[in-house]
Amino acid sequence: MSRFWSQVVRDLTPYVPGEQPKIANLIKLNTNEHPFPPSPAVVAAIQAELGDDGARLRLYPDPNADLLKNAVARRYAVTAAEVFVGNGSDEVLAHVFMALLKHDAPILFPDITYSFYPVYCGLYGVDSITIPLAADFSIDPADYCGQPGKNGKIGGIIFPNPNAPTGRLMALDAVEQIVRANPDCVVVVDEAYVDFGGDTAIPLTQKYDNLLVIHTLSKSRSLAGLRVGYAVGHPALIEALERVKNSFNSYPLDRLAIVGAVAAIEDETHFQTCCQAVIATRTQLSADLAALGFEVLPSAANFIFARHPQRDAAELARALRERSIIVRHFKLPRIDQFLRITIGSDADCQALTDGLRDILG
Ligand code: PMP
């Protein structure tokens, strides 16, 4: 630690590097990547952009990524002025915390949720209040309707839907109830996993100017390596994000990411087929784990959250790792007996089930 570090930096816990190990032949079921490659159209678009000699890489990309904004706008029947794009949804979220959630009042989010929200609160000086999940690990919308913060005000609300790492989905009418009950603050719905069984809240952005929906191409579009995410909401919300972006990183997306992302969004058939395959594998894996004695939470995501009543989750994770299978374990109150397991290929999930059967004896 250096004496030059600010308090914010001193308080930061870096993202566990062990989650992206540099070991070959691992069965990697820990960071919710998609088991199938992206659409072949993505590869073709990137190759076309590169050309024979890569000459176009000399030139800066379009800072507004208009091609991509238009593709998102067409896909969700909104206008390009309602779309913001960034280098992965983590970067989009960073802009949201800076531009839309930093106020004099605390923001609300669930106590078990995406681990970056508290990190961004620390980085950008956003005060927060966390709300415990219900006994069944669901989010109760009533907890976000009329809950006063300090001085009776709240600075915003953010939650993933489906939630991470639980995988539990909130119905769209419950999302709408929260948005409607909070007309004076921004409600951010992080839909990183919505394509695996939920309905997107994007159509509601046409009705409510305080709703911002965030998507990523890392999960359902198999493009975690390309780093593309976007937000959809009222043009005034998007303008706030653009202002921060233009003072921070005017060129968030490179040329290859822009054309690749457009091709992925335009290949609806590939997208639907691959998501349906993941959903089918999730059903099978949930049944297989239940047969091994696990309690599996209902999941609408490309991962499942499960615990074994008799076995320690950290021990199970360690034993799986010895068999070259990595899953995610969180050393956090209330969920430290759970494993979060990404839905891999059928073969990966079979190897996981075989490994667990062996470990459980
Ligand atoms: N939101 C949630 C809920 C996530 O789980 C993740 C992935 N870790 C992200 C956002 C960020 O995804 P990306 O930056 O790859 O778009």
Side-chain angles (χ1 to χ4, degrees):
M1 191 180 290
S2 159
R3 66 195 166 89
F4 300 114
W5 288 15
S6 72
Q7 193 56 48
V8 170
V9 175
R10 283 165 198 265
D11 291 345
L12 282 177
T13 316
Y15 185 70
V16 201
E19 297 304 328
Q20 305 298 355
K22 295 181 175 56
I23 306 167
N25 301 324
L26 277 179
I27 297 185
K28 195 171 172 304
L29 304 176
N30 64 332
T31 53
N32 302 338
E33 288 133 331
H34 203 298
F36 300 114
S39 158
V42 171
V43 181
I46 290 176
Q47 279 166 348
E49 181 67 17
L50 276 174
D52 290 335
D53 57 0
R56 250 184 250 155
L57 295 183
R58 294 176 303 108
L59 306 172
Y60 279 104
D62 171 8
N64 289 317
D66 282 336
L67 270 182
L68 178 55
K69 286 185 181 174
N70 286 324
V72 173
R74 273 194 304 277
R75 171 65 171 73
Y76 291 100
V78 298
T79 64
E82 293 165 285
V83 181
F84 176 78
V85 297
N87 192 233
S89 59
D90 278 339
E91 192 189 67
V92 175
L93 284 166
H95 286 73
V96 169
F97 274 76
M98 281 189 268
L100 298 170
L101 295 180
K102 187 167 164 39
H103 294 286
D104 297 338
I107 66 164
L108 307 183
F109 53 82
D111 66 341
I112 298 169
T113 195
Y114 184 37
S115 56
F116 271 33
Y117 303 159
V119 173
Y120 286 144
C121 282
L123 273 177
Y124 302 120
V126 176
D127 198 6
S128 64
I129 294 176
T130 55
I131 301 184
L133 295 182
D136 64 357
F137 294 93
S138 62
I139 295 174
D140 183 350
D143 288 341
Y144 297 82
C145 300
Q147 160 112 4
K150 284 178 204 156
N151 309 321
K153 275 176 57 186
I154 54 171
I157 295 172
I158 183 165
F159 55 87
N161 196 36
N163 195 9
T166 64
R168 296 220 58 166
L169 180 73
M170 192 195 289
L172 208 49
D173 57 355
V175 174
E176 183 167 10
Q177 189 187 332
I178 295 174
V179 176
R180 202 181 324 113
N182 293 281
D184 296 326
C185 75
V186 177
V187 177
V188 182
V189 186
D190 177 353
E191 293 188 336
Y193 302 102
V194 77
D195 298 323
F196 300 103
D199 289 321
T200 177
I202 288 179
L204 294 177
T205 62
Q206 303 303 293
K207 207 165 145 192
Y208 299 98
D209 66 357
N210 62 325
L211 170 64
L212 190 77
V213 181
I214 300 184
H215 280 192
T216 175
L217 275 69
S218 298
K219 315 295 180 183
S220 58
R221 306 271 176 182
S222 308
L223 286 174
L226 209 59
R227 311 302 303 130
V228 182
Y230 57 89
V232 180
H234 189 277
L237 299 182
I238 301 303
E239 194 186 326
L241 298 172
E242 294 290 353
R243 281 191 189 199
V244 169
K245 184 208 89 176
N246 290 333
S247 344
F248 173 76
N249 178 8
S250 310
Y251 299 102
L253 291 187
D254 64 58
R255 287 178 163 275
L256 306 183
I258 292 171
V259 296
V262 169
I265 287 172
E266 290 182 341
D267 192 345
E268 192 65 27
T269 309
H270 181 89
F271 162 71
Q272 294 290 354
T273 309
C274 294
C275 287
Q276 287 310 318
V278 167
I279 292 170
T281 306
R282 181 180 71 206
T283 306
Q284 183 63 49
L285 180 62
S286 302
D288 291 348
L289 292 188
L292 289 175
F294 280 87
E295 179 199 342
V296 183
L297 295 193
S299 170
N302 68 337
F303 56 84
I304 54 179
F305 207 47
R307 67 178 154 195
H308 196 285
Q310 280 97 38
R311 301 299 284 264
D312 180 61
E315 277 303 317
L316 289 177
R318 211 173 0 259
L320 283 170
R321 207 174 175 110
E322 279 165 14
R323 289 164 172 77
S324 299
I325 301 172
I326 47 174
V327 298
R328 190 80 194 266
H329 172 250
F330 298 88
K331 282 195 210 100
L332 292 173
R334 227 183 132 187
I335 56 168
D336 67 343
Q337 285 314 315
F338 279 86
L339 295 176
R340 192 195 65 189
I341 304 167
T342 301
I343 307 302
S345 65
D346 284 338
D348 290 348
C349 291
Q350 189 60 53
L352 172 91
T353 315
D354 292 345
L356 282 170
R357 190 174 297 111
D358 190 29
I359 294 162
L360 293 168

